[in-house]
Amino acid sequence: MLDDPDGLSPRAQAFLCRAGTRQPDQPRLLTDLMQVPDRSGRLIAAPLELTVRREGFAARFGGLRYDVRRSVRIGDERLDTLRRWQFDLLDMVRAERRGWSFAWYGERVSSPVLYLAHTDGRFGVSADGAFLEVCPSINHLIEGHALMDELYDWEPVPPSSLEAWVPSDMTNAHLGELLAALPPVPETSGPCDRWWRSDEVAIRLFQGWTGSQPRPTWVMIWSRNGQI
C-alpha cells in the first residue's frame, strides 16, 4: 500500500506518506493451508474466494500502521488524541450468510467489536453477532481516516464529550440545511458512513457499531472556527 497507493485520493496518499509505516510480516499459516468452519461448524479446506481475498489483504495491507489525529472536546477544553490502526491478520475466519469474513487487528484500543474484512471487499465489525458493514472497502476506511486526520486542527462543534457529536439542540431541519449546502466526499462515503465537507464545515453521519436494529445514526461536526 505504501509503495503502490493506486486507487487512493491525493489526500489519502499524503496521509500515508506522512503517517504510515509498514512492519515486517509476522509468521502465520497461509490461508490455503487452513481448515475453516463452514456455517454448520464443520471444518473444511479454505475455499478459493477466501484464500484470494485474505492473502490479497495480507499482500496489500499487512503490516501497515498509522496514527489518526483527531480533535475532541471535554467541556470547554479541547484535546488532541491519536488513534492507532494496525492492519495485521488474525487467525479467526468465519462463514457469513454470503461469502466469508476474516479478522484483523484494526484500532489498537480496548474494543467490544471484532474488526473484519469480507470476501466481497467490505470492511465491517461484529459485536458478538452478524457482520455489520462500516465501509464499502478498506480503501474507503483509509480515506475516512485521512479526512479525519486532516480536520485535526478544526474545532469540534460543542457541546461534546469525547467525540464531536452533534449538539443536542440541533434540529433535523437545521442539520438537513447544513448538509444541503455541503458537497459530499464520495471517496470516504458509503451506505453506512457518509461525509460532507466544505472549506469551513465538515459533517460525518454514520451508523453505530452495534447489533441493535435499526442501527442508530450518529453525527460528528467540525468547523474551522467552532461555529455553524
Side-chain angles (χ1 to χ4, degrees):
M1 170 58 74
L2 296 180
D3 296 330
D4 181 20
D6 185 52
L8 293 177
S9 68
R11 175 195 293 117
Q13 293 186 33
F15 167 68
L16 289 180
C17 183
R18 180 190 64 78
T21 62
R22 190 160 191 174
Q23 302 298 315
D25 289 340
Q26 300 298 312
R28 63 179 181 86
L29 184 65
L30 296 177
T31 310
D32 57 2
L33 301 178
M34 295 175 66
Q35 295 279 307
V36 298
D38 65 13
R39 284 182 59 81
S40 71
R42 179 173 58 98
L43 289 178
I44 63 172
L48 179 60
E49 65 173 319
L50 175 61
T51 297
V52 170
R53 283 293 192 177
R54 191 168 183 268
E55 293 303 318
F57 181 101
R60 183 158 178 76
F61 303 108
L64 176 64
R65 287 156 175 65
Y66 55 67
D67 292 329
V68 182
R69 301 176 296 183
R70 76 163 99 185
S71 58
V72 299
R73 186 173 296 279
I74 302 177
D76 294 330
E77 183 180 2
R78 173 201 165 105
L79 298 176
D80 294 328
T81 68
L82 289 177
R83 298 289 181 90
R84 167 147 292 200
W85 284 75
Q86 180 174 332
F87 290 71
D88 291 327
L89 288 173
L90 298 174
D91 292 335
M92 196 282 288
V93 168
R94 71 182 201 181
E96 303 293 348
R97 285 185 297 174
R98 295 183 180 178
W100 297 78
S101 66
F102 51 90
W104 56 287
Y105 274 100
E107 192 174 20
R108 300 298 290 170
V109 296
S110 177
S111 173
V113 300
L114 184 67
Y115 296 85
L116 300 170
H118 198 286
T119 49
D120 64 12
R122 291 177 294 161
F123 161 62
V125 298
S126 174
D128 254 348
F131 179 93
L132 303 173
E133 179 180 345
V134 176
C135 298
S137 70
I138 299 296
N139 276 10
H140 279 80
L141 175 68
I142 294 172
E143 292 281 1
H145 289 161
L147 180 51
M148 179 80 74
D149 186 86
E150 186 176 72
L151 299 171
Y152 84 101
D153 59 352
W154 290 30
E155 290 297 324
V157 174
S160 63
S161 54
L162 290 178
E163 302 289 356
W165 307 121
V166 65
S168 58
D169 58 351
M170 176 176 287
T171 65
N172 287 337
H174 186 192
L175 179 60
E177 291 173 0
L178 286 173
L179 293 176
L182 295 175
V185 188
E187 65 270 19
T188 66
S189 299
C192 303
D193 196 338
R194 294 170 290 162
W195 287 82
W196 292 259
R197 182 187 185 277
S198 69
D199 291 338
E200 299 298 328
V201 177
I203 300 179
R204 179 191 181 198
L205 270 66
F206 62 103
Q207 292 185 2
W209 295 8
T210 169
S212 300
Q213 294 296 330
R215 290 166 64 185
T217 297
W218 295 336
V219 186
M220 304 173 77
I221 302 178
W222 299 262
S223 75
R224 283 191 182 273
N225 59 14
Q227 303 295 320
I228 55 173

